[in-house]
Amino acid sequence: DTAVSQTPKYLVTQMGNDKSIKCEQNLGHDTMYWYKQDSKKFLKIMFSYNNKELIINETVPNRFSPKSPDKAHLNLHINSLELGDSAVYFCASSPKPDTGLYGYTFGSGTRLTVV
Amino acid sequence: GENVEQHPSTLSVQEGDSAVIKCTYSDSASNYFPWYKQELGKGPQLIIDIRSNVGEKKDQRIAVTLNKTAKHFSLHITETQPEDSAVYFCAAREGYSTLTFGKGTMLLVSP
């Protein structure tokens, strides 16, 4: 199936730990994103990344860092986890806008709970 | 940057009724306006989108209208069914910028 897949689906961890969430897309898209969805369902952009440029939302703590081994993968590393990091994290991807296609395809989300 | 306002935050309708969700945007350069549906435990899924050179687009029971002058766009769902119950997000984007989402509308369709 063509899709954006992220793992794990659920992640429970203690404060202070370091964790990673993986994301892979097989759609041939050029740009990938990480969004954070809080308890009020608000979708907030954290990063956008293509093979040329990383754009970081300035409100994202530097404990969060994206790692992209190749065009099809964008993993999210989180250091020194805090209670406030608990949320659902979504990976998404999109083709180049000059293709005339602008829509994002989202993964199914990773629910992170910090205890 | 772009700012997207979405109303209402919750909407309850009876099965068979119509539902309308409205959004406004701030950046007149935005030219792409998608709508996403998010079911419980799933990621947002694109259900319909509209470009700035089009005023209205329809796909079966859902339609989107765009008023560029007023900088607002709306989602219309007719003959609602219980499976339409979900959170709906509007969004706006200009070319190479990232999508900016509204805060979502929880739609509940009662049988």
Side-chain angles (χ1 to χ4, degrees), chain A:
Chain A
D1 289 343
T2 54
V4 177
S5 57
Q6 51 183 114
T7 55
K9 188 169 178 64
Y10 300 98
L11 181 56
V12 181
T13 188
Q14 291 188 326
M15 278 194 302
N17 283 352
D18 303 338
K19 289 293 179 184
S20 295
I21 306 172
K22 295 185 176 181
C23 179
E24 175 183 7
Q25 56 95 4
N26 62 4
L27 298 164
H29 287 171
D30 291 278
T31 306
M32 297 183 72
Y33 312 84
W34 278 104
Y35 278 82
K36 178 180 180 181
Q37 186 171 50
D38 60 24
S39 58
K40 294 184 178 180
K41 300 292 186 181
F42 183 48
L43 283 163
K44 182 178 178 182
I45 182 73
M46 300 178 70
F47 305 100
S48 69
Y49 183 79
N50 61 32
N51 56 8
K52 297 178 183 177
E53 186 178 20
L54 171 65
I55 300 174
I56 302 171
N57 184 321
E58 60 191 16
T59 66
V60 175
N62 58 14
R63 297 182 295 103
F64 290 78
S65 58
K67 307 268 187 215
S68 181
D70 55 58
K71 181 179 164 181
H73 297 82
L74 183 66
N75 303 324
L76 182 64
H77 293 261
I78 316 169
N79 295 324
S80 303
L81 277 155
E82 300 177 358
L83 292 176
D85 298 332
S86 295
V88 181
Y89 292 84
F90 286 101
C91 178
S93 68
S94 68
K96 284 182 182 175
D98 55 14
T99 61
L101 301 171
Y102 295 152
Y104 289 16
T105 302
F106 281 83
S108 57
T110 296
R111 181 175 292 277
L112 171 66
T113 303
V114 182
V115 297

Side-chain angles (χ1 to χ4, degrees), chain B residues 46-107:
Chain B
L46 179 67
I47 56 171
I48 195 167
D49 57 15
I50 193 167
R51 307 285 177 88
S52 58
N53 58 349
V54 176
E56 184 174 359
K57 184 176 178 181
K58 190 173 181 180
D59 182 4
Q60 299 183 336
R61 294 186 300 108
I62 60 173
V64 57
T65 58
L66 171 65
N67 183 326
K68 282 214 73 180
T69 303
K71 289 192 282 189
H72 67 70
F73 56 113
S74 301
L75 178 71
H76 304 254
I77 306 174
T78 58
E79 300 172 25
T80 54
Q81 301 167 4
E83 51 266 39
D84 294 329
S85 296
V87 179
Y88 290 80
F89 293 95
C90 63
R93 179 183 188 185
E94 180 280 321
Y96 286 78
S97 69
T98 56
L99 271 177
T100 299
F101 285 87
K103 292 191 175 181
T105 296
M106 182 172 292
L107 173 64

